[in-house]
Amino acid sequence: MRFPTLQEVTRYREMTTTFGGYNHQLSCQEGQFFDMKNMTSQYFPVLSPRQNRGIVKTLVNPQGILDKEDVLWIDDKKLYKNGEEQPLDGVTLSDESPKTLAKMGAYVIIMPDRIWYNADNGECGYIEHTNKVAKGTKISFSLCAANGSIITYHESYYYENRTPQDGDYLLSTQNGKTSLKVYAATTKTWLTVATTYVQITATGIGKGFEKEDGVKITIDGKVDLLSNIFVNEEENGKMSTNTVITDRTDDSITITGILGQFVEIKDKEIVVERKVPDMEFITECNNRLWGCSKDGHEIYCCKLGDVKNWNVFAGISTDSWAATIGSDGKFTGAITYLGYPMFFKEDSLIKISVSGNGGHQIKETKCRGVQKGSHNSISILNETLYYK
């Protein structure tokens, strides 16, 4: 009977003196761990067991979380700050989940609910706001100054037998164009007023708005006397204008515009609305909130220091801003890194160079971006950006 020849297996011992960390790749090197259980790399390069785990709080229906100066989360349509429920007077959180939370100064923005919450004093409200003046309500349009005070003016024939006084206003309609002029006694000339304003008066039209809000005003049907104000064609025969409120009361708003005469209507419906674009991801940078559209083609930022206004285009450095991205694919994530808002697609990175004068610039780099569905993987450790 023959037996196989067995060779003795050489036994040896290796000592690891330096822990190289966790490396879950096929290229894992000596001194690194391909897998770890009940251990932590928190004290790297020292090999250490993890701390004891425990249940801090059991959530019912977690919908979103934000860890900044305070830990805020939304659970079952309720907002919590450092574990305490916060009252949200006048607003209601929706069932939609997950929610995106972003912080700008003291303000916490909750999307897609379009809710703002002041973490310092507990105030809250909706970013969007709409007032509708129904048919049958008296609505008047008057020429006014920027502060809303009504201007008394005359047409040219009024001064045929009268001497104008300093500060008198003249409404000119030469060559089919309406303009407002003011008399300067020192030069004895009529000077054209560069910017004119119109006050729209109706019950409740200004409630909920603030000065310098960017709004869209829509009127039900065309009115020839208001053709200088409502310049955009809408569906169902409606007309609209995008403008900025320069002054307001509960029953009036003042906007830029020109009128040929005082106008009063009662058979029209007017809607004034402050809107926010639909955004998939948001991030804060340089006292502005930045966001990207769901279709992958637009990037927006709010007015400087004002999360409620995304449609203020007055030609100054504090304006809100929007740009179109020409590349294919939907956005997969966003973050602020080293002072730049960055938006990702699966095959590209879009970096915004923020300018103090409002001339923000876009640079798109083709690279391995964030995998779809992995937007929560974007993290910054020290000065390095990591993502899946």
Side-chain angles (χ1 to χ4, degrees):
M1 188 174 187
R2 294 184 179 182
F3 294 96
T5 302
L6 301 179
Q7 294 183 353
E8 183 179 359
V9 177
T10 303
R11 292 184 296 177
Y12 60 91
R13 178 182 296 176
E14 290 185 359
M15 300 291 293
T16 299
T17 58
T18 303
F19 174 46
Y22 173 76
N23 184 5
H24 197 75
Q25 300 185 82
L26 295 178
S27 59
C28 183
Q29 303 295 316
E30 183 178 348
Q32 297 177 332
F33 279 12
F34 180 80
D35 209 348
M36 292 169 60
K37 183 177 182 180
N38 293 332
M39 303 186 69
T40 179
S41 58
Q42 182 177 358
Y43 305 104
F44 172 85
V46 177
L47 184 63
S48 305
R50 65 164 176 79
Q51 296 180 351
N52 292 334
R53 292 178 181 152
I55 297 175
V56 177
K57 185 176 179 63
T58 301
L59 303 183
V60 178
N61 177 28
Q63 295 176 283
I65 189 168
L66 177 68
D67 181 13
K68 293 291 184 181
E69 296 176 3
D70 304 296
V71 181
L72 298 105
W73 67 82
I74 298 174
D75 180 28
D76 198 27
K77 300 192 294 183
K78 297 178 182 178
L79 177 66
Y80 293 85
K81 174 183 172 183
N82 297 328
E84 295 184 3
E85 183 180 346
Q86 303 298 300
L88 296 177
D89 297 330
V91 300
T92 303
L93 292 168
S94 68
D95 291 320
E96 193 166 347
S97 183
K99 301 184 187 297
T100 300
L101 283 73
K103 198 168 189 292
M104 191 179 88
Y107 289 94
V108 177
I109 313 304
I110 304 172
M111 300 294 283
D113 297 44
R114 293 172 167 81
I115 290 174
W116 61 267
Y117 168 76
N118 190 315
D120 288 346
N121 57 27
E123 293 180 353
C124 60
Y126 289 103
I127 301 175
E128 293 185 330
H129 182 69
T130 300
N131 283 343
K132 182 181 293 186
V133 180
K135 291 181 180 180
T137 303
K138 183 173 69 174
I139 307 168
S140 62
F141 298 77
S142 311
L143 270 178
C144 66
N147 62 2
S149 58
I150 302 300
I151 290 177
T152 300
Y153 60 87
H154 300 282
E155 297 185 13
S156 57
Y157 68 84
Y158 178 83
Y159 294 104
E160 290 178 357
N161 300 316
R162 294 178 176 86
T163 301
Q165 303 298 312
D166 189 55
D168 281 359
Y169 285 98
L170 169 68
L171 192 67
S172 173
T173 55
Q174 293 180 352
N175 301 323
K177 294 183 178 180
T178 303
S179 62
L180 186 66
K181 297 182 179 181
V182 61
Y183 188 74
T186 55
T187 59
K188 296 183 179 180
T189 56
W190 289 97
L191 304 176
T192 301
V193 178
T195 306
T196 57
Y197 301 90
V198 173
Q199 184 181 87
I200 307 175
T201 304
T203 303
I205 194 172
K207 285 185 177 180
F209 291 111
E210 299 176 9
K211 291 182 180 180
E212 300 183 359
D213 273 356
V215 296
K216 180 179 180 180
I217 307 176
T218 306
I219 185 171
D220 182 20
K222 187 174 182 180
V223 181
D224 291 337
L225 294 173
L226 302 177
S227 59
N228 288 323
I229 298 177
F230 298 98
V231 295
N232 302 315
E233 295 280 353
E234 296 285 328
E235 295 180 358
N236 301 320
K238 296 181 179 180
M239 300 292 292
S240 70
T241 183
N242 295 284
T243 186
V244 176
I245 296 175
T246 60
D247 193 76
R248 60 155 299 279
T249 65
D250 283 352
D251 298 324
S252 70
I253 57 174
T254 300
I255 63 173
T256 56
I258 186 72
L259 281 175
Q261 65 184 71
F262 171 80
V263 179
E264 186 174 283
I265 55 177
K266 292 183 68 175
D267 60 339
K268 304 292 182 182
E269 179 184 82
I270 285 187
V271 178
V272 185
E273 52 187 349
R274 183 183 65 223
K275 300 289 287 183
V276 177
D278 291 326
M279 293 176 287
E280 184 75 5
F281 304 105
I282 55 176
T283 182
E284 184 278 332
C285 182
N286 288 13
N287 203 23
R288 295 178 186 264
L289 200 64
W290 301 75
C292 57
S293 63
K294 295 182 179 182
D295 61 9
H297 295 302
E298 282 79 35
I299 291 177
Y300 314 94
C301 81
C302 70
K303 181 182 174 184
L304 183 66
D306 188 353
V307 297
K308 301 177 186 178
N309 276 289
W310 297 77
N311 295 289
V312 176
F313 302 104
I316 57 178
S317 61
T318 59
D319 280 354
S320 46
W321 179 85
T324 300
I325 306 300
S327 59
D328 294 333
K330 294 185 178 181
F331 291 107
T332 55
I335 197 171
T336 297
Y337 176 57
L338 298 180
Y340 297 94
M342 291 187 174
F343 297 90
F344 291 90
K345 296 185 177 183
E346 285 198 307
D347 60 352
S348 63
L349 181 156
I350 298 157
K351 177 180 176 182
I352 311 295
S353 296
V354 183
S355 172
N357 60 16
H360 316 305
Q361 296 184 353
I362 296 175
K363 182 180 180 181
E364 184 172 7
T365 303
K366 289 296 180 181
C367 61
R368 287 175 290 181
V370 174
Q371 183 182 16
K372 183 179 179 181
S374 299
H375 54 276
N376 287 327
S377 71
I378 309 175
S379 302
I380 298 173
L381 179 61
N382 296 329
E383 294 80 34
T384 305
L385 177 65
Y386 296 92
Y387 59 85
K388 181 175 184 295

